[in-house]
Amino acid sequence: MPKPVNPTLLQTHVMFMVLYLAGFFMERRPCAVCSLVFLSAVFLVCYSGLGSCIFWSNNCDNVRCDDG
């Protein structure tokens, strides 16, 4: 699912993605190893680079960063 271009829709997108993944885990009930692999992959994608996470955006172009 692509992130919305409009930054005001980002919170709605995050809520939708979290509910979608929670619904998937409740409906399909994947094995523990599969769940662990999936969650670790999401963690690595979210913390691998600036603005690459599917849940939130760390884009310093639109928002002034505190790093200077």
Side-chain angles (χ1 to χ4, degrees):
M1 299 229 156
K3 286 191 270 187
V5 176
N6 189 348
T8 58
L9 297 175
L10 186 63
Q11 290 148 348
T12 306
H13 176 74
V14 169
M15 183 178 63
F16 176 74
M17 291 299 294
V18 168
L19 290 174
Y20 178 79
L21 289 174
F24 171 78
F25 277 100
M26 286 191 286
E27 180 182 341
R28 301 287 177 154
R29 298 180 191 228
C31 65
V33 174
C34 298
S35 299
L36 185 65
V37 167
F38 175 75
L39 293 175
S40 62
V42 168
F43 176 79
L44 289 174
V45 166
C46 283
Y47 291 103
S48 66
L50 194 63
S52 63
C53 187
I54 60 174
F55 295 112
W56 61 83
S57 175
N58 295 330
N59 193 355
C60 287
D61 296 336
N62 296 335
V63 179
R64 184 181 172 122
C65 292
D66 294 333
D67 296 344

